[in-house]
Amino acid sequence: MLMHNHVRAAGPWASRALLSAGTLVLLLIQTGLAAAQERQDTTWRMVFPSDPQRQHVLGTVVQRDGRWEAYTVALRLDDSSRPMRRGLYHFTSGAFSHREWVRVGQEVRFRPYNEVLEMSLKLLNVDQGQVEAEVTVPFDMPGQWRLLTAAPPHLPPDVIDFNQAGGQDHLQGPRALRSRMPTYPKAAREASVNGKVVLGFVLDEKGQVSPDSIRVVRGLGYGLEEAAIETLLNEWKLAPGRRDGQPVSMWINVEFDFSIH
């Protein structure tokens, strides 16, 4: 009888709790649907050489909330004779432990070094020395996803390649007025990664870095490329190079020496 009275007394409370829980679930579903409707995925499709001798860094540099951000993913073609290993070996720059073989038609999901969002990579085709792939991020991102390890972009006549022409008496290279080292990404620190990241880019006659021109001349993975790019665009101030005393646009390389010790 005591148990029966207890159950009867708890009945209205249980009903109210069930109703509240149902309302909460409904609100969560509505919130999720609204978020899904507001979210705008961005997908890039690209074609690049299938060179098994090198790692390709694909990426984009965008400006969000007043700051420059870089997103990359690294791909390497496997030329192994073992059929089970033919395909693209992929890993994110930020989470080297997340790596797997990607086959044609397969889509993989991963997070970049900042671990803020989830990206996806889909391999569309590998044929006649070319690779076709798609990269998707879960928001509306302006800009263009491109091959960051390609050769320097086609330079117009008014841009001097200082790496080739440096040393001539009438040329003076750019100077760093303000610089700082990037913050070590967590994944790189945990893996004790040391070495140099080298970025190439166009610095115009006003001392502004052209974000679309940035290339990864030498990379290390683990998010170090992204960290270097973001620091260059957000924290550095450079004086332009000069020809016969006059400021000019130049293609230059800058090294970032990452050392934990």
Side-chain angles (χ1 to χ4, degrees):
M1 179 64 70
L2 288 175
M3 183 177 296
H4 180 68
N5 287 339
H6 177 72
V7 171
R8 287 177 59 191
W13 177 87
S15 299
R16 288 194 298 271
L18 183 60
L19 178 61
S20 299
T23 303
L24 177 60
V25 170
L26 181 60
L27 287 174
L28 289 174
I29 292 175
Q30 292 175 339
T31 302
L33 290 174
Q37 291 173 351
E38 292 176 0
R39 198 183 84 178
Q40 179 69 42
D41 289 358
T42 305
T43 299
W44 292 272
R45 178 175 295 195
M46 70 207 75
V47 177
F48 53 94
S50 57
D51 182 357
Q53 303 302 319
R54 67 180 302 182
Q55 167 185 304
H56 294 296
V57 179
L58 314 174
T60 187
V61 182
V62 297
Q63 193 168 32
R64 301 178 66 228
D65 301 324
R67 285 185 62 83
W68 290 100
E69 297 179 358
Y71 299 90
T72 72
V73 58
L75 295 166
R76 187 190 299 274
L77 181 70
D78 178 49
D79 57 354
S80 171
S81 59
R82 288 174 289 179
M84 291 301 294
R85 293 189 62 185
R86 290 199 189 116
L88 278 181
Y89 181 68
H90 114 273
F91 57 89
T92 72
S93 291
F96 191 79
S97 59
H98 177 86
R99 52 188 180 181
E100 58 189 282
W101 293 100
V102 186
R103 303 195 178 280
V104 173
Q106 181 184 358
E107 182 177 24
V108 291
R109 295 185 177 275
F110 55 91
R111 293 181 183 275
Y113 83 100
N114 53 26
E115 299 182 355
V116 172
L117 54 90
E118 185 179 61
M119 300 165 62
S120 70
L121 168 74
K122 186 173 183 179
L123 178 60
L124 301 176
N125 190 35
V126 179
D127 186 34
Q128 297 179 349
Q130 289 188 329
V131 177
E132 186 177 6
E134 282 184 347
V135 176
T136 300
V137 294
F139 55 81
D140 185 10
M141 179 186 281
Q144 180 182 3
W145 200 276
R146 61 190 186 277
L147 185 60
L148 295 185
T149 46
H154 178 71
L155 300 178
D158 61 334
V159 177
I160 298 171
D161 186 345
F162 189 70
N163 300 318
Q164 300 294 329
Q168 300 181 24
D169 292 340
H170 65 291
L171 291 179
Q172 178 185 352
R175 295 180 296 110
L177 303 178
R178 183 181 70 236
S179 64
R180 61 176 292 271
M181 278 301 296
T183 302
Y184 242 101
K186 180 181 177 182
R189 184 173 293 278
E190 290 177 348
S192 298
V193 179
N194 295 276
K196 296 181 185 295
V197 169
V198 181
L199 300 180
F201 54 89
V202 172
L203 185 74
D204 68 19
E205 68 278 5
K206 297 180 181 179
Q208 300 296 315
V209 177
S210 170
D212 290 338
S213 72
I214 294 175
R215 298 293 186 271
V216 178
V217 179
R218 183 190 306 169
L220 295 171
Y222 294 88
L224 295 173
E225 291 88 356
E226 294 101 317
I229 292 172
E230 292 180 6
T231 300
L232 172 68
L233 291 173
N234 294 310
E235 308 293 343
W236 279 48
K237 184 176 181 180
L238 299 167
R242 293 177 178 270
R243 179 175 57 191
D244 297 326
Q246 299 300 314
V248 292
S249 297
M250 286 186 176
W251 169 267
I252 62 172
N253 287 351
V254 169
E255 290 186 356
F256 294 83
D257 191 356
F258 289 89
S259 178
I260 295 178
H261 306 294

